[in-house]
Every structure is written in C-alpha cells, then in structure tokens.
Amino acid sequence: MELQQGYGSVPEAEESGRSESTAPRRTVPSEQLLKGARELVILHDGCEYVLRLTRQNKLILTK
C-alpha cells in the first residue's frame, strides 16, 4: 500500500484490481469547468458530486 500524507493508505493499482491508464493525464483549468459559476455537478457511476468554489478561492468536492 502506498501512503499519501494526510489521506491514509491508498491501494496501488495492482492491489485494487484496476489497471493503470496509458492515456496521458489531462489538465483542465477550473475556470473552464465552472464557466463563471460557483458550483458544478459531476455525475459519476450513478452518483452526483458537487464541486464548489469557496470565498477563499478553494475547491471542495462533496458527494
């Protein structure tokens, strides 16, 4: 298990059963995602997640 500071143990790809993607990592500016809004709803695997921009200009993702 790989340990990330502040997040506890995180299983590595081979332990979790997922293979690592060969696609390059994409970078998307938050301004492009939010398009002037303070919130964005993300649908993933049948669940809704809300990405919020705070007054302190931080991003928070909640389920």
Side-chain angles (χ1 to χ4, degrees):
M1 292 241 184
E2 178 184 337
L3 188 63
Q4 292 182 353
Q5 187 175 4
Y7 295 100
S9 59
V10 176
E12 294 178 5
E14 58 270 12
E15 291 179 23
S16 66
R18 288 181 270 158
S19 62
E20 290 193 31
S21 173
T22 57
R25 182 184 291 189
R26 297 185 326 152
T27 300
V28 180
S30 61
E31 296 84 4
Q32 185 178 348
L33 289 173
L34 294 168
K35 296 183 179 179
R38 307 286 302 175
E39 292 186 353
L40 168 70
V41 176
I42 300 170
L43 298 175
H44 175 72
D45 200 25
C47 295
E48 286 188 359
Y49 295 82
V50 179
L51 182 67
R52 288 187 178 88
L53 180 62
T54 69
R55 287 184 226 153
Q56 292 82 28
N57 207 35
K58 308 276 184 189
L59 292 174
I60 298 176
L61 182 65
T62 55
K63 188 170 183 182

